[in-house]
Amino acid sequence: MLGISTQDYIRQSAVGRALDWQRERDAFREMARRRGTSVEQLLQQGVLTDDTA
């Protein structure tokens, strides 16, 4: 249906998810750096969104 094999679709999907996870991780690190805290502390505080980022 998509013009690619099942293996290629799975591979592309996995790569996309990994890149999304890396971008999210980097965004949390930057948010923590700007606030002078750690990512772990942000998550413990329940900070999952930031309108200033």
Side-chain angles (χ1 to χ4, degrees), residues 22-40:
Q22 288 174 344
R23 283 189 285 269
E24 185 176 317
R25 180 196 63 196
D26 292 346
F28 272 109
R29 285 181 176 167
E30 178 61 17
M31 187 187 323
R33 185 192 65 77
R34 288 181 183 182
R35 292 181 180 202
T37 189
S38 69
V39 172
E40 291 79 13

Side-chain angles (χ1 to χ4, degrees):
M1 247 177 11
L2 297 175
I4 61 173
S5 71
T6 301
Q7 285 182 333
D8 286 341
Y9 174 78
I10 291 169
R11 188 177 299 112
Q12 289 176 13
S13 179
V15 167
R17 287 183 182 196
L19 292 173
D20 288 346
W21 179 82
Q22 288 174 344
R23 283 189 285 269
E24 185 176 317
R25 180 196 63 196
D26 292 346
F28 272 109
R29 285 181 176 167
E30 178 61 17
M31 187 187 323
R33 185 192 65 77
R34 288 181 183 182
R35 292 181 180 202
T37 189
S38 69
V39 172
E40 291 79 13
Q41 289 172 326
L42 284 177
L43 296 175
Q44 287 174 354
Q45 296 168 3
V47 177
L48 297 177
T49 60
D50 183 356
D51 293 335
T52 63

